Amino acid sequence: MKKLLTVLLSGLLFIGLVGCSSNDEKPAGGDEEITVYFLTKILGNQYWSVVEEGARAAADELGVKLVVTGLANEAEVEKQVQQLQDAVSAQASAIVIGPVDSTAMANPVSDAFKSGIPIVAVDTMINTDDFSAALLTDNVAAGRDAAKSMIELLEEKGVSKDEVAQVAMQIGNSGSQTIIDRLAGFNEYWDANAPKTWEVLNKDVKVNDGDITKAVNFTQDFLTTYPNLKGVFGANNGSTVGFVTGLTEANRQDIAMVGFDFSPEMEKFIRTDGFTASTIVQKQYMMGYEGVKVAVELAKGNKPAEKVIDTGVLVVRKNNIDNPEVQEIINPTK
Amino acid sequence: MMKFMKRAVKADDGEVKVLSHISASGRKALFSGVALILLFSFFAITKKGLFLSTGNLINIAQQVVTYAIIGYGLTFCLVSGGTDLSAGASMALSGIIVLTLLSMGIPWPIAFIASLIFGILMGILNGFSIEVLGVVPFIATLGTQWVFRGLANVIVDGKPIYTNVIASQSTQDIFYLFGAGKIGGTGLPYSVIIALVYGIILYFVLAKTRIGREIYACGSNLEAAKLSGINTVRTRMFAYCVSGFSAAICGILVTSRISSAQPMAGQGYELEAIAASVLGGVSNSGGEGTIINTIIGALMMGVLRNGLNLSGVNSFIQQVIIGFILVGAVALEVYRHKKQS
């Protein structure tokens, strides 16, 4: 029994050490009493790790303590509710949250907000008015930018205005408001500005559930099915990578491509001679960075001028990829 | 006559064994209870007011509900010598069933009962695959996990559905009470009361009734249980039904709490529930453990998670710590067994 207790106590000691070491992280000289909880959406995810980097950079710069918690997958709504409650119990000075589900998180966020702690949503909107600020991409506007870029690319490729040209699309999942907005923006700009003979294949939008293998297969099927296919549009990162892989494998340099988000695959594709591509890059680093800054201001009692802040997007192509202002967004840590 | 005597002796032997196993669970409950108190005191000392505030203690209780209820069901399966990997998926499917029924305008008591009956049916399917078709529990319930998860996705076409599909506002309000509502004044959530009452009932079923003792007998020695005249098929089937039923209760509570039924909800909850049960002292090789062990284990996990969140420990490190503690706890158990024998 004695031995067992020893083992147990040493286990507790271990937790204690970890617990304390994280408590000692407070940078010297800053607002030591301010602790911001950052509830990221998916831990270890490419996109969210950039948001987190931005948040950490802002916390370091302002000298506040940042506590990061997150989820293993998008289905863990209940866990995010718990993390939110824990942040409230911990009397966080402010909470920055990437809501895992706009509707399901509405009540819990509202409860937390009513406890008096400022809440800043990043990346995803929350379906309640009970939050202090939100920093996100205006996805309808981003969709319009994507359509504008697609038309430019097709014109550059020499597709004429009275030629039949088809554009295929695929998406990650059909329920997400983000995707719905991007497609709406894309179609809105397209209908107003593209030649009448150019057609978006809205009746055959493929849903790949974020599975890259599926996305590649869909690309191949598009290439087989539509002889007049001139362009493809991926409305999220997974779809974009699927198109990149599919087009590279088939070496279809005649197809123009517009994607979303920035990945090593997309960078290589944009830089490859022969292919014509652009990608709509969200400023997720800025969401994390500005999100924490706004949160700290709120903790000090200063409200931002606007409640909902559009962080904007950037259209990245071969001719601007090495510009400093583009590099700053796609490689923020360098 | 000889044959009958032999059987009687075996039955006697089985009874003695069962009793010794229950008292072993008691010792383990004492042991993990001490660990829980240590853990609790640790956070109470390091995080003082934050951890011990009424609000936070209620949070912990509310957070533990899901794992505890799924854990009850798993404890029945583990004690009977099996396991149920389909519990998380059953939970998601039950949640979707109850919200779909409510959206059709069916009164909530009927929708609840229907969902709970469906939970029992899922248990029967598990029990049937294992006891009648002879598939080992690990594989059988892995298969049904996919079946239930798939069905959940099929019903709602892979998208979450929200409680605003319920036409009547009063039904929406009542439904929200179960998972998120608090008893006026005290601030105690209904879900905690439900978990507690349900836990007490199951404690008595497992520890004090005939079927409960038969479950222990099956788990400690299936052959001996058969020879002593226990209908092992029926007994173990019952354990899976308890698990399905518990998952369904959980499905209703979680759907209410997050105002939505998510087809991918509850992924890995069965593993968390197994971890909680084992931490509390339920043996993963069968025949040992009571609902008290499960509750203690679930509280340990809850206190640990909450305390680490309050201490600002990042989620990755939390995983590492909880993983080590789980392995450590089972290693201690193995060590004790070796020493005893």
Short mmCIF file of all heavy atoms in Angstrom, two decimals, chain A residues 79-121:
data_model
loop_
_atom_site.label_atom_id
_atom_site.label_comp_id
_atom_site.label_asym_id
_atom_site.label_seq_id
_atom_site.Cartn_x
_atom_site.Cartn_y
_atom_site.Cartn_z
N LYS A 79 -17.49 19.08 -25.94
CA LYS A 79 -16.21 19.37 -25.31
C LYS A 79 -15.91 20.87 -25.35
O LYS A 79 -15.37 21.43 -24.41
CB LYS A 79 -15.09 18.57 -25.98
CG LYS A 79 -13.83 18.55 -25.17
CD LYS A 79 -12.87 17.48 -25.65
CE LYS A 79 -12.90 16.23 -24.79
NZ LYS A 79 -12.12 15.15 -25.34
N GLN A 80 -16.29 21.51 -26.44
CA GLN A 80 -16.05 22.96 -26.51
C GLN A 80 -16.93 23.70 -25.49
O GLN A 80 -16.49 24.68 -24.90
CB GLN A 80 -16.29 23.51 -27.92
CG GLN A 80 -15.80 24.94 -28.04
CD GLN A 80 -15.74 25.44 -29.45
OE1 GLN A 80 -16.74 25.51 -30.13
NE2 GLN A 80 -14.55 25.80 -29.91
N VAL A 81 -18.15 23.19 -25.28
CA VAL A 81 -19.00 23.80 -24.26
C VAL A 81 -18.29 23.71 -22.90
O VAL A 81 -18.26 24.68 -22.13
CB VAL A 81 -20.38 23.08 -24.19
CG1 VAL A 81 -21.21 23.67 -23.06
CG2 VAL A 81 -21.12 23.19 -25.50
N GLN A 82 -17.70 22.55 -22.61
CA GLN A 82 -17.01 22.36 -21.33
C GLN A 82 -15.81 23.29 -21.22
O GLN A 82 -15.56 23.88 -20.17
CB GLN A 82 -16.54 20.92 -21.20
CG GLN A 82 -17.70 19.96 -21.13
CD GLN A 82 -17.27 18.51 -21.16
OE1 GLN A 82 -16.08 18.22 -21.21
NE2 GLN A 82 -18.23 17.61 -21.12
N GLN A 83 -15.05 23.40 -22.31
CA GLN A 83 -13.87 24.26 -22.26
C GLN A 83 -14.27 25.72 -22.03
O GLN A 83 -13.57 26.46 -21.34
CB GLN A 83 -13.06 24.11 -23.56
CG GLN A 83 -12.41 22.74 -23.65
CD GLN A 83 -11.69 22.53 -24.96
OE1 GLN A 83 -11.85 23.30 -25.91
NE2 GLN A 83 -10.88 21.48 -25.03
N LEU A 84 -15.41 26.09 -22.62
CA LEU A 84 -15.90 27.45 -22.43
C LEU A 84 -16.28 27.67 -20.97
O LEU A 84 -15.91 28.69 -20.36
CB LEU A 84 -17.11 27.67 -23.35
CG LEU A 84 -17.69 29.08 -23.42
CD1 LEU A 84 -16.65 30.07 -23.92
CD2 LEU A 84 -18.90 29.11 -24.34
N GLN A 85 -16.97 26.69 -20.38
CA GLN A 85 -17.35 26.81 -18.96
C GLN A 85 -16.11 26.87 -18.08
O GLN A 85 -16.06 27.63 -17.11
CB GLN A 85 -18.18 25.59 -18.55
CG GLN A 85 -19.59 25.62 -19.06
CD GLN A 85 -20.38 24.43 -18.54
OE1 GLN A 85 -19.81 23.41 -18.17
NE2 GLN A 85 -21.69 24.56 -18.52
N ASP A 86 -15.12 26.05 -18.42
CA ASP A 86 -13.89 26.06 -17.62
C ASP A 86 -13.19 27.41 -17.70
O ASP A 86 -12.64 27.89 -16.72
CB ASP A 86 -12.95 24.94 -18.08
CG ASP A 86 -13.45 23.56 -17.64
OD1 ASP A 86 -14.33 23.51 -16.77
OD2 ASP A 86 -12.97 22.55 -18.19
N ALA A 87 -13.20 28.01 -18.90
CA ALA A 87 -12.57 29.32 -19.05
C ALA A 87 -13.30 30.37 -18.21
O ALA A 87 -12.69 31.25 -17.62
CB ALA A 87 -12.56 29.74 -20.52
N VAL A 88 -14.64 30.23 -18.14
CA VAL A 88 -15.42 31.16 -17.31
C VAL A 88 -15.08 30.93 -15.83
O VAL A 88 -14.84 31.88 -15.09
CB VAL A 88 -16.94 30.99 -17.56
CG1 VAL A 88 -17.74 31.81 -16.56
CG2 VAL A 88 -17.28 31.40 -18.98
N SER A 89 -15.01 29.65 -15.43
CA SER A 89 -14.65 29.33 -14.04
C SER A 89 -13.27 29.86 -13.69
O SER A 89 -13.02 30.29 -12.57
CB SER A 89 -14.62 27.82 -13.82
OG SER A 89 -15.90 27.30 -13.88
N ALA A 90 -12.37 29.79 -14.66
CA ALA A 90 -11.00 30.24 -14.41
C ALA A 90 -10.92 31.76 -14.38
O ALA A 90 -9.85 32.33 -14.22
CB ALA A 90 -10.07 29.69 -15.49
N GLN A 91 -12.07 32.42 -14.54
CA GLN A 91 -12.16 33.88 -14.55
C GLN A 91 -11.18 34.51 -15.55
O GLN A 91 -10.40 35.39 -15.23
CB GLN A 91 -11.93 34.44 -13.15
CG GLN A 91 -13.07 34.06 -12.22
CD GLN A 91 -12.79 34.36 -10.76
OE1 GLN A 91 -11.74 34.90 -10.43
NE2 GLN A 91 -13.71 34.02 -9.89
N ALA A 92 -11.26 33.99 -16.79
CA ALA A 92 -10.45 34.54 -17.86
C ALA A 92 -10.77 36.02 -18.02
O ALA A 92 -11.91 36.44 -17.79
CB ALA A 92 -10.77 33.80 -19.16
N SER A 93 -9.75 36.81 -18.41
CA SER A 93 -10.00 38.24 -18.63
C SER A 93 -10.81 38.43 -19.90
O SER A 93 -11.60 39.38 -20.02
CB SER A 93 -8.68 38.99 -18.78
OG SER A 93 -7.76 38.54 -17.83
N ALA A 94 -10.58 37.53 -20.87
CA ALA A 94 -11.35 37.55 -22.12
C ALA A 94 -11.20 36.18 -22.76
O ALA A 94 -10.24 35.46 -22.49
CB ALA A 94 -10.83 38.63 -23.07
N ILE A 95 -12.18 35.82 -23.61
CA ILE A 95 -12.14 34.52 -24.28
C ILE A 95 -12.18 34.74 -25.78
O ILE A 95 -13.04 35.47 -26.28
CB ILE A 95 -13.33 33.64 -23.84
CG1 ILE A 95 -13.26 33.34 -22.34
CG2 ILE A 95 -13.35 32.33 -24.64
CD1 ILE A 95 -14.50 32.69 -21.76
N VAL A 96 -11.25 34.12 -26.49
CA VAL A 96 -11.27 34.13 -27.95
C VAL A 96 -11.65 32.72 -28.38
O VAL A 96 -11.04 31.75 -27.95
CB VAL A 96 -9.89 34.50 -28.54
CG1 VAL A 96 -9.93 34.47 -30.06
CG2 VAL A 96 -9.45 35.87 -28.05
N ILE A 97 -12.70 32.60 -29.21
CA ILE A 97 -13.19 31.26 -29.54
C ILE A 97 -13.41 31.09 -31.03
O ILE A 97 -13.91 31.99 -31.71
CB ILE A 97 -14.50 30.96 -28.75
CG1 ILE A 97 -15.04 29.56 -29.07
CG2 ILE A 97 -15.57 32.00 -29.00
CD1 ILE A 97 -16.20 29.13 -28.20
N GLY A 98 -13.00 29.95 -31.57
CA GLY A 98 -13.34 29.55 -32.93
C GLY A 98 -14.52 28.59 -32.80
O GLY A 98 -14.31 27.42 -32.56
N PRO A 99 -15.77 29.10 -32.91
CA PRO A 99 -16.94 28.26 -32.60
C PRO A 99 -16.99 27.03 -33.51
O PRO A 99 -16.86 27.15 -34.72
CB PRO A 99 -18.12 29.18 -32.88
CG PRO A 99 -17.57 30.56 -32.89
CD PRO A 99 -16.17 30.43 -33.40
N VAL A 100 -17.16 25.87 -32.88
CA VAL A 100 -17.14 24.63 -33.65
C VAL A 100 -18.45 24.46 -34.41
O VAL A 100 -18.51 23.78 -35.43
CB VAL A 100 -16.85 23.43 -32.71
CG1 VAL A 100 -17.97 23.19 -31.74
CG2 VAL A 100 -16.53 22.18 -33.50
N ASP A 101 -19.52 25.10 -33.93
CA ASP A 101 -20.81 25.03 -34.62
C ASP A 101 -21.56 26.32 -34.28
O ASP A 101 -21.81 26.61 -33.11
CB ASP A 101 -21.58 23.81 -34.12
CG ASP A 101 -22.89 23.58 -34.85
OD1 ASP A 101 -23.69 24.53 -34.98
OD2 ASP A 101 -23.12 22.45 -35.28
N SER A 102 -21.90 27.10 -35.30
CA SER A 102 -22.48 28.42 -35.08
C SER A 102 -23.76 28.36 -34.26
O SER A 102 -24.00 29.22 -33.41
CB SER A 102 -22.81 29.09 -36.41
OG SER A 102 -21.70 29.10 -37.24
N THR A 103 -24.59 27.36 -34.52
CA THR A 103 -25.89 27.28 -33.84
C THR A 103 -25.78 26.58 -32.49
O THR A 103 -26.29 27.07 -31.48
CB THR A 103 -26.90 26.54 -34.73
OG1 THR A 103 -26.89 27.16 -36.01
CG2 THR A 103 -28.29 26.62 -34.16
N ALA A 104 -25.10 25.44 -32.48
CA ALA A 104 -25.02 24.67 -31.24
C ALA A 104 -24.27 25.43 -30.15
O ALA A 104 -24.54 25.25 -28.96
CB ALA A 104 -24.35 23.32 -31.50
N MET A 105 -23.34 26.30 -30.52
CA MET A 105 -22.56 27.03 -29.53
C MET A 105 -23.25 28.33 -29.09
O MET A 105 -22.75 29.04 -28.21
CB MET A 105 -21.16 27.35 -30.06
CG MET A 105 -20.21 26.16 -30.14
SD MET A 105 -20.04 25.24 -28.58
CE MET A 105 -19.26 26.48 -27.55
N ALA A 106 -24.38 28.66 -29.72
CA ALA A 106 -25.02 29.95 -29.45
C ALA A 106 -25.41 30.11 -27.97
O ALA A 106 -25.05 31.09 -27.34
CB ALA A 106 -26.23 30.14 -30.35
N ASN A 107 -26.14 29.12 -27.42
CA ASN A 107 -26.56 29.22 -26.02
C ASN A 107 -25.39 29.26 -25.04
O ASN A 107 -25.34 30.12 -24.16
CB ASN A 107 -27.52 28.08 -25.66
CG ASN A 107 -28.92 28.33 -26.16
OD1 ASN A 107 -29.36 29.48 -26.22
ND2 ASN A 107 -29.61 27.27 -26.55
N PRO A 108 -24.43 28.31 -25.17
CA PRO A 108 -23.29 28.35 -24.25
C PRO A 108 -22.50 29.67 -24.33
O PRO A 108 -22.11 30.21 -23.29
CB PRO A 108 -22.41 27.18 -24.71
CG PRO A 108 -23.34 26.25 -25.39
CD PRO A 108 -24.39 27.10 -26.02
N VAL A 109 -22.31 30.20 -25.54
CA VAL A 109 -21.58 31.47 -25.67
C VAL A 109 -22.37 32.59 -25.01
O VAL A 109 -21.82 33.43 -24.29
CB VAL A 109 -21.28 31.79 -27.15
CG1 VAL A 109 -20.87 33.24 -27.31
CG2 VAL A 109 -20.18 30.89 -27.68
N SER A 110 -23.67 32.54 -25.22
CA SER A 110 -24.53 33.55 -24.62
C SER A 110 -24.44 33.52 -23.09
O SER A 110 -24.30 34.56 -22.43
CB SER A 110 -25.97 33.30 -25.09
OG SER A 110 -26.83 34.19 -24.49
N ASP A 111 -24.47 32.29 -22.51
CA ASP A 111 -24.33 32.15 -21.04
C ASP A 111 -23.01 32.72 -20.55
O ASP A 111 -22.95 33.43 -19.55
CB ASP A 111 -24.41 30.67 -20.63
CG ASP A 111 -25.82 30.12 -20.78
OD1 ASP A 111 -26.75 30.94 -20.90
OD2 ASP A 111 -25.98 28.88 -20.77
N ALA A 112 -21.93 32.38 -21.29
CA ALA A 112 -20.59 32.83 -20.88
C ALA A 112 -20.50 34.34 -20.96
O ALA A 112 -19.96 35.01 -20.07
CB ALA A 112 -19.53 32.18 -21.76
N PHE A 113 -21.07 34.91 -22.02
CA PHE A 113 -21.04 36.36 -22.23
C PHE A 113 -21.78 37.08 -21.11
O PHE A 113 -21.33 38.10 -20.59
CB PHE A 113 -21.67 36.68 -23.59
CG PHE A 113 -21.70 38.14 -23.91
CD1 PHE A 113 -20.54 38.80 -24.33
CD2 PHE A 113 -22.88 38.87 -23.83
CE1 PHE A 113 -20.58 40.15 -24.65
CE2 PHE A 113 -22.92 40.22 -24.14
CZ PHE A 113 -21.76 40.86 -24.55
N LYS A 114 -22.91 36.46 -20.68
CA LYS A 114 -23.71 37.08 -19.62
C LYS A 114 -23.00 37.05 -18.27
O LYS A 114 -23.36 37.78 -17.36
CB LYS A 114 -25.07 36.39 -19.52
CG LYS A 114 -26.01 36.86 -20.61
CD LYS A 114 -27.31 36.06 -20.63
CE LYS A 114 -28.11 36.39 -21.87
NZ LYS A 114 -29.03 35.29 -22.20
N SER A 115 -21.99 36.19 -18.14
CA SER A 115 -21.22 36.17 -16.89
C SER A 115 -20.27 37.37 -16.83
O SER A 115 -19.59 37.58 -15.83
CB SER A 115 -20.42 34.87 -16.78
OG SER A 115 -19.30 34.93 -17.63
N GLY A 116 -20.22 38.16 -17.92
CA GLY A 116 -19.46 39.39 -17.90
C GLY A 116 -18.09 39.32 -18.55
O GLY A 116 -17.36 40.32 -18.57
N ILE A 117 -17.72 38.15 -19.07
CA ILE A 117 -16.40 38.03 -19.70
C ILE A 117 -16.52 38.37 -21.19
O ILE A 117 -17.41 37.85 -21.87
CB ILE A 117 -15.86 36.60 -19.52
CG1 ILE A 117 -15.66 36.32 -18.03
CG2 ILE A 117 -14.57 36.39 -20.31
CD1 ILE A 117 -15.20 34.93 -17.72
N PRO A 118 -15.66 39.26 -21.71
CA PRO A 118 -15.72 39.59 -23.14
C PRO A 118 -15.44 38.36 -24.00
O PRO A 118 -14.53 37.58 -23.67
CB PRO A 118 -14.61 40.63 -23.32
CG PRO A 118 -14.24 41.09 -21.95
CD PRO A 118 -14.60 39.99 -21.01
N ILE A 119 -16.21 38.17 -25.06
CA ILE A 119 -16.03 37.01 -25.93
C ILE A 119 -15.79 37.48 -27.36
O ILE A 119 -16.57 38.27 -27.90
CB ILE A 119 -17.25 36.09 -25.87
CG1 ILE A 119 -17.37 35.59 -24.44
CG2 ILE A 119 -17.11 34.95 -26.87
CD1 ILE A 119 -18.08 34.33 -24.24
N VAL A 120 -14.70 37.01 -27.95
CA VAL A 120 -14.36 37.35 -29.32
C VAL A 120 -14.41 36.09 -30.17
O VAL A 120 -13.71 35.12 -29.88
CB VAL A 120 -12.94 37.96 -29.39
CG1 VAL A 120 -12.58 38.29 -30.83
CG2 VAL A 120 -12.85 39.19 -28.50
N ALA A 121 -15.28 36.07 -31.19
CA ALA A 121 -15.35 34.92 -32.10
C ALA A 121 -14.38 35.14 -33.24
O ALA A 121 -14.25 36.26 -33.75
CB ALA A 121 -16.76 34.75 -32.62
#
